[in-house]
Amino acid sequence: MNKESHIATLRQRHAELDTRIREEEAHHSYDNVAVSRMKAEKLHLKEEIERLSH
């Protein structure tokens, strides 16, 4: 896997997490722990994308 395709994969995963977080938070009683984990993973992906992009 080359660098560009790896970044694209990370961006796709980041977008999927964003969607899952919004869907989970839309429920009246959502799982705070699960959302926190997804947000942490999303942040990690963002940092990795930024690192690889430079």
Side-chain angles (χ1 to χ4, degrees), residues 24-50:
E24 184 67 27
E25 289 178 333
H27 295 115
H28 189 47
S29 58
Y30 65 89
D31 185 349
N32 288 325
V33 174
V35 169
S36 292
R37 286 184 185 143
M38 287 187 281
K39 286 182 177 182
E41 183 180 352
K42 186 178 160 193
L43 178 60
H44 174 74
L45 289 169
K46 179 182 176 187
E47 291 169 347
E48 184 70 7
I49 291 165
E50 289 175 0

Side-chain angles (χ1 to χ4, degrees), residues 8-36:
T9 300
L10 293 173
R11 285 186 175 141
Q12 180 181 2
R13 178 72 179 134
H14 185 271
E16 290 169 357
L17 279 170
D18 190 49
T19 300
R20 287 180 55 206
I21 290 167
R22 280 189 271 121
E23 288 173 351
E24 184 67 27
E25 289 178 333
H27 295 115
H28 189 47
S29 58
Y30 65 89
D31 185 349
N32 288 325
V33 174
V35 169
S36 292

Side-chain angles (χ1 to χ4, degrees), residues 1-12 49 52-53:
M1 179 181 295
N2 66 28
K3 183 177 170 179
E4 289 77 25
S5 64
H6 183 60
I7 291 171
T9 300
L10 293 173
R11 285 186 175 141
Q12 180 181 2
I49 291 165
L52 292 171
S53 295

